[in-house]
């Protein structure tokens, strides 16, 4: 239990250390509230901005049961670090600590898997601003090196994904975001198309709500479709909390439950 608590609270140490290393503070000019790539699967269509460091982290629980065999996955640390090297380009690093548990007829097996998933290394580039009915567009690409993962979660091949992220402002309180792209990974050389569609609504200046449909379509296998929905709370212009839940429409996931936070540090 002590190891689990250490992993759960490691993310808060990252925030504190990052604050000391970068000595970031609030700028005098107003650049608006934080825009995040969590909690939904839809990546935002904008970068964080030059000189801005943004940490997005949390934990999640997933389960799936079939033929009296239940698989449970606990992800204690879903940290994504985003840093703007230019006004329109950000670098991205992410790493998850995962624990997998299997139960047969309600009895937990001893062969628990745990460790780090492959490191995420990526970039996001602003492509176009929203104008004259055309959406705001960004390009996002990631690579997941094999050597960076723990033995229990090390795939056979290096994973790669890319997507175009687009968004439309529907009204002062609502927006529509969607992604389309492709991925290679999960020990398979075949490509899979990926998609997301998310509707967001501002309940108030502090609270927001979203609902989302997302999935992937492998070349030689059945498609996987999921949905989720959740709430965000804007504690300040630089700090946001979130909570969400979901499940799969096709087989593969009975329950998804997660919560997290995002914090923005701006260079003085």
């Amino acid at each position: 239990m002590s190891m689990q608590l250490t992993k759960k609270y490691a993310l808060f140490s990252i925030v504190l250390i990052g604050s000391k290393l970068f000595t970031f503070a609030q700028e005098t000019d107003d650049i608006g509230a934080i825009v995040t790539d969590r909690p939904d699967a839809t990546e935002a269509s904008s970068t964080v901005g030059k000189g801005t460091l943004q940490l997005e982290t949390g934990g999640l629980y997933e389960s799936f049961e079939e033929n009296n065999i239940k698989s449970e996955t606990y992800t204690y640390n879903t940290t994504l670090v985003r840093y703007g090297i230019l006004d329109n380009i950000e670098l991205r690093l992410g790493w998850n600590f995962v624990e997998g548990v299997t139960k047969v007829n309600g009895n937990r097996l001893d062969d628990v898997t745990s460790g780090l998933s492959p490191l995420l290394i990526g970039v996001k580039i602003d492509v176009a601003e929203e104008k004259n009915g055309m959406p705001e567009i960004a390009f996002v690409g990631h690579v997941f090196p094999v050597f960076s993962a723990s033995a229990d979660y090390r795939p056979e091949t290096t994973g790669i994904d890319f997507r175009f992220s687009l968004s439309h402002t529907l009204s002062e309180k609502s927006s529509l975001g969607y992604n389309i792209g492709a991925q290679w990974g999960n020990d398979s050389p075949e490509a899979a198309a990926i998609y997301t569609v998310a509707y967001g609504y501002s309940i108030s200046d502090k609270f927001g709500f979203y609902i989302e449909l997302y999935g992937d379509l492998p070349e030689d296998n059945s498609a996987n479709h999921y949905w989720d929905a959740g709430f965000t709370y804007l504690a300040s212009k630089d700090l946001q909390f979130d909570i969400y839940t979901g499940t799969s429409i096709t087989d593969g996931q009975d329950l998804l439950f997660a919560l997290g936070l995002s914090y923005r540090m701006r260079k003085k």
Side-chain angles (χ1 to χ4, degrees):
M1 184 65 180
S2 60
M3 179 180 178
Q4 294 180 1
L5 289 174
T6 300
K7 296 300 181 180
K8 287 181 181 178
Y9 293 106
L11 55 95
F12 294 105
S13 299
I14 294 173
V15 173
L16 294 175
I17 294 171
S19 299
K20 293 179 181 179
L21 289 176
F22 291 89
T23 60
F24 277 72
Q26 181 118 5
E27 291 179 325
T28 55
D29 60 317
D30 184 8
I31 64 171
I34 185 173
V35 177
T36 67
D37 280 344
R38 63 168 299 123
D40 53 14
T42 301
E43 305 280 13
S45 58
S46 60
T47 57
V48 294
K50 184 178 180 179
T52 297
L53 178 72
Q54 190 160 304
L55 305 177
E56 305 182 10
T57 188
L60 61 87
Y61 167 82
E62 296 174 274
S63 68
F64 177 64
E65 185 170 1
E66 187 175 34
N67 299 325
N68 295 321
I69 300 175
K70 186 176 184 179
S71 300
E72 296 180 317
T73 302
Y74 300 85
T75 304
Y76 297 120
N77 187 349
T78 62
T79 297
L80 172 66
V81 180
R82 305 168 60 190
Y83 180 72
I85 58 172
L86 294 173
D87 288 336
N88 64 333
I89 300 177
E90 71 176 45
L91 298 181
R92 302 158 64 83
L93 289 174
W95 224 346
N96 300 337
F97 182 84
V98 187
E99 182 178 271
V101 176
T102 301
K103 295 179 180 178
V104 179
N105 294 320
N107 299 312
R108 176 170 169 159
L109 302 184
D110 293 332
D111 58 340
V112 175
T113 59
S114 65
L116 293 166
S117 63
L119 175 70
L120 174 154
I121 304 172
V123 64
K124 180 188 284 189
I125 303 171
D126 290 333
V127 175
E129 296 180 353
E130 185 175 8
K131 187 176 182 181
N132 298 326
M134 298 299 293
E136 182 177 70
I137 305 172
F139 172 82
V140 189
H142 302 120
V143 62
F144 304 85
V146 172
F147 66 84
S148 62
S150 300
D152 286 344
Y153 294 98
R154 186 170 298 155
E156 294 292 331
T157 59
T158 294
I160 299 172
D161 72 33
F162 75 88
R163 67 183 67 195
F164 287 94
S165 176
L166 306 94
S167 67
H168 291 274
T169 301
L170 302 179
S171 70
E172 291 185 358
K173 289 183 172 290
S174 63
S175 63
L176 182 69
Y178 47 100
N179 294 174
I180 185 168
Q183 62 185 12
W184 292 260
N186 298 322
D187 296 329
S188 173
E190 70 172 337
I194 52 178
Y195 75 92
T196 73
V197 181
Y199 171 78
Y201 183 80
S202 297
I203 301 172
S204 68
D205 291 340
K206 296 289 186 180
F207 287 96
F209 168 79
Y210 83 91
I211 187 167
E212 175 184 50
L213 177 68
Y214 63 101
D216 60 85
L217 298 86
E219 287 180 316
D220 300 320
N221 289 291
S222 300
N224 303 293
H225 304 291
Y226 307 84
W227 72 270
D228 61 6
F231 294 91
T232 59
Y233 173 70
L234 192 66
S236 72
K237 288 187 176 181
D238 296 311
L239 177 62
Q240 177 179 281
F241 296 93
D242 61 71
I243 184 170
Y244 65 100
T245 188
T247 186
S248 61
I249 298 171
T250 53
D251 288 339
Q253 186 185 81
D254 294 329
L255 175 66
L256 166 67
F257 177 76
L259 50 82
L261 63 87
S262 301
Y263 181 58
R264 178 175 63 184
M265 291 174 277
R266 290 178 273 161
K267 199 169 186 178
K268 190 172 181 180

